[in-house]
Amino acid sequence: MNITRRRVLYGLTALPFAHHLGLRLAVGAAQSRLALDPQRPQYHLLPAANWMNDPNGPIYWRGKYHLFFQYNPNGAFWGDMHWDHAISDDMVHWRHLPVALAPTPGGPDKDGCFTGSIVVEKGVPTMLYTGVNPEVQCLATSRDPLLGIWEKAAKPVISAPPPGLNVTGFRDPCPWREGDTWYMGVGSGIKKRGGAVLLYRSTDLREWEYLHPLASGTWNGKPTADPVDSGEQWECPDFFPLGKKYVLLYSTERKVYWQSGELDRKEMVFHREKQGLLDDGAYYAPKSMLDHEGNRILWGWIPETRPLADYKRAGWAGVMSLPRVLTLSGEGELEMRVDPRVRALRGPQTNAHTAVGTLDDLRISNYSGEVHCLTKKAAGPVRLSLTSQAQAPGAFFSVSYQPEGGETTLKIDNKPIVGKISDGKLDIRLFLDGSVIEVFINDRIACTRRIYLEGEKATDVLVKFEGGADQLQELSAWRIKPISHDRLTT
Ligand code: DQQ
């Protein structure tokens, strides 16, 4: 009887401990699995686990950089959208804070807090974001210096798309101010016509008046289940002054496009003058902010390109791009450079060659490095490639250039890249981080790639330059230091 009673008591008291211990062991095991995953980046921001997508509401506030992003706390798959939150002093090293925004049961965002922006109105950080379902524009404010606590307005500030428009979607608000007036673009599209940014006006961010489309595009004519895949819907618009012009960014058909031009402030119509592809790879839904010196910084979501089952198993999905500083060239072309603050992560320069005829391969260990390759005016073909012992023979990534033959002479992994190399000179900056490669050519052409190399031990990568050694001006590589000891970036 006693024994039984003791067992019952023991069982009762031990159960919570066992449960707690079990949980801690499970969490610990999952974390060490993530920490050992060579495909997981070490100097890009990503949540400690689970799914992330679009950057949301980036802002410099009270001496800190805040980055929020779409996040699913339930696993490494899209769904149940929350805003996760990280802060930084330098946009390079991050500290994760608790989730900042979660759906409110019964509220307008009950089915998800989708993408949005943060602006400051009368000294108060104010968030505009999309609640679903249906898609409505919601508002929340924060008086917390760390922007961790947000108070939601009970009702949406825009509760339906403009009447009479047969829209494909209605989300991702991007507000900006002209004098005392707020304007806001909302990502949308007109059925069978094409994607659009719908323009609204307000004086207080709460009462909004619809004006007209700020910009619109063309449907590709092929019906798809998701209107985003046919250009019928534009997502995540971003609109801001840059230099003497205005720039519009939008995402559709799995790509991001930029346009630069003039804003007619009287009619509030944007006149596009130049346009192009912002990134030729796995890069989507970018959003910009100003840094403490007023530079325009762009963040983007680097999605997975492997199958869902693979990333679910891995326990993480999605990465934030490195911060890119945006400028416009004299001809109005969008230029971007990785923020110079990332250089603080450079370890020793593993090698550098400027001398003719002494070209050896450079080595990057632990899948974490940066490469800079500068050519003189290319007289013959040149090729910069990466190979790994863990991979079948041959390069797993390459940039090649053939001086003659028009615009298709630049190739990444044998795929022609649109973009002119006007004077035959190449300035290639490449960032390798686990399964992510971000490459920039002449500060104009960007391409983000995912490369899932196998093998935990053989993580050495060889950097090779082919072409006349006399065509090379500089080839350097750096080991890049991780931003956390365990790949959890906290
Ligand atoms: N992601 C969000 C939407 C947006 C899309 C949902 C773009 O607000 O349109 O997670 O990736």
Side-chain angles (χ1 to χ4, degrees), residues 59-87:
I59 189 167
Y60 179 69
W61 180 246
R62 296 205 179 175
K64 299 266 180 231
Y65 290 98
H66 292 256
L67 198 40
F68 304 83
F69 45 87
Q70 293 280 281
Y71 175 68
N72 183 356
N74 312 308
F77 52 93
W78 185 87
D80 193 18
M81 286 290 107
H82 289 54
W83 283 34
D84 206 2
H85 185 193
I87 57 169

Side-chain angles (χ1 to χ4, degrees), residues 225-459:
D226 182 346
V228 174
D229 291 330
S230 60
E232 220 182 357
Q233 165 75 25
W234 284 1
E235 298 183 295
C236 302
D238 199 25
F239 190 69
F240 48 86
L242 192 64
K244 295 194 175 89
K245 304 278 178 189
Y246 271 76
V247 168
L248 171 71
L249 309 179
Y250 60 92
S251 298
T252 192
E253 294 184 75
R254 294 170 200 275
K255 292 270 176 254
V256 183
Y257 297 90
W258 62 266
Q259 299 182 349
S260 67
E262 296 285 345
L263 176 66
D264 176 341
R265 287 203 183 77
K266 200 158 154 274
E267 302 295 328
M268 283 310 286
V269 177
F270 173 60
H271 297 289
R272 178 188 76 202
E273 293 167 347
K274 291 278 165 72
Q275 60 184 327
L277 189 59
L278 194 140
D279 188 299
D280 212 312
Y283 184 89
Y284 202 71
K287 187 169 274 297
S288 72
M289 64 170 203
L290 294 177
D291 74 0
H292 73 289
E293 291 172 321
N295 297 305
R296 182 61 63 176
I297 309 292
L298 190 70
W299 301 99
W301 165 41
I302 302 177
E304 300 299 313
T305 56
R306 54 182 163 170
L308 167 74
D310 289 7
Y311 57 74
K312 257 184 152 175
R313 199 178 317 120
W316 63 278
V319 181
M320 191 67 73
S321 69
L322 295 173
R324 301 177 179 184
V325 186
L326 299 184
T327 48
L328 276 189
S329 74
E331 304 85 51
E333 304 274 338
L334 190 68
E335 300 174 324
M336 65 189 86
R337 299 168 180 85
V338 166
D339 191 285
R341 278 162 276 205
V342 174
R343 287 188 204 144
L345 296 175
R346 282 178 179 171
Q349 195 163 341
T350 54
N351 221 329
H353 299 270
T354 46
V356 174
T358 59
L359 195 64
D360 296 322
D361 292 334
L362 304 185
R363 192 177 290 266
I364 292 176
S365 56
N366 208 15
Y367 294 151
S368 180
E370 177 188 344
V371 178
H372 182 209
C373 174
L374 194 62
T375 70
K376 297 175 190 163
K377 188 170 168 33
V382 292
R383 184 170 184 259
L384 179 75
S385 62
L386 303 181
T387 55
S388 158
Q389 299 152 337
Q391 202 66 359
F396 66 84
F397 181 81
S398 67
V399 178
S400 54
Y401 178 65
Q402 177 87 29
E404 289 98 36
E407 291 196 0
T408 57
T409 54
L410 180 68
K411 290 183 180 168
I412 293 186
D413 291 342
N414 294 324
K415 176 184 169 241
I417 297 294
V418 179
K420 277 199 191 112
I421 305 295
S422 46
D423 55 4
K425 287 187 190 169
L426 292 176
D427 185 343
I428 306 172
R429 292 182 185 269
L430 184 151
F431 295 82
L432 168 69
D433 189 9
S435 52
V436 171
I437 294 178
E438 287 189 73
V439 69
F440 303 89
I441 300 162
N442 295 0
D443 301 330
R444 289 275 178 91
I445 299 162
C447 182
T448 306
R449 277 276 197 280
R450 300 304 304 270
I451 314 265
Y452 301 98
L453 298 170
E454 298 294 341
E456 279 172 28
K457 296 202 177 69
T459 57

Side-chain angles (χ1 to χ4, degrees), residues 66-247:
H66 292 256
L67 198 40
F68 304 83
F69 45 87
Q70 293 280 281
Y71 175 68
N72 183 356
N74 312 308
F77 52 93
W78 185 87
D80 193 18
M81 286 290 107
H82 289 54
W83 283 34
D84 206 2
H85 185 193
I87 57 169
S88 170
D89 291 327
D90 57 4
M91 297 193 287
V92 176
H93 299 89
W94 295 94
R95 183 153 66 92
H96 284 277
L97 294 183
V99 161
L101 199 66
T104 299
D109 62 7
K110 62 183 185 328
D111 289 329
C113 301
F114 274 21
T115 283
S117 312
I118 297 173
V119 288
V120 179
E121 158 72 351
K122 299 200 173 91
V124 182
T126 305
M127 173 193 283
L128 285 137
Y129 68 100
T130 300
V132 291
N133 274 308
E135 291 178 342
V136 293
Q137 312 321 318
C138 300
L139 178 142
T141 52
S142 179
R143 291 177 190 274
D144 169 14
L146 279 182
L147 302 186
I149 302 165
W150 291 85
E151 195 179 325
K152 296 178 183 177
K155 289 197 180 131
V157 289
I158 307 180
S159 53
L165 290 186
N166 196 7
V167 301
T168 48
F170 186 58
R171 56 181 179 269
D172 312 331
C174 68
W176 82 98
R177 198 192 337 232
E178 298 283 336
D180 291 338
T181 308
W182 286 104
Y183 291 91
M184 182 163 79
V186 179
S188 187
I190 310 298
K191 281 186 189 146
K192 302 208 163 154
R193 288 202 1 229
V197 181
L198 304 181
L199 182 64
Y200 286 79
R201 177 165 61 196
S202 170
T203 52
D204 62 359
L205 297 177
R206 280 142 181 96
E207 297 282 326
W208 290 97
E209 170 199 5
Y210 174 63
L211 297 179
H212 46 247
L214 175 71
S216 44
T218 320
W219 177 46
N220 74 12
K222 297 175 200 138
T224 44
D226 182 346
V228 174
D229 291 330
S230 60
E232 220 182 357
Q233 165 75 25
W234 284 1
E235 298 183 295
C236 302
D238 199 25
F239 190 69
F240 48 86
L242 192 64
K244 295 194 175 89
K245 304 278 178 189
Y246 271 76
V247 168

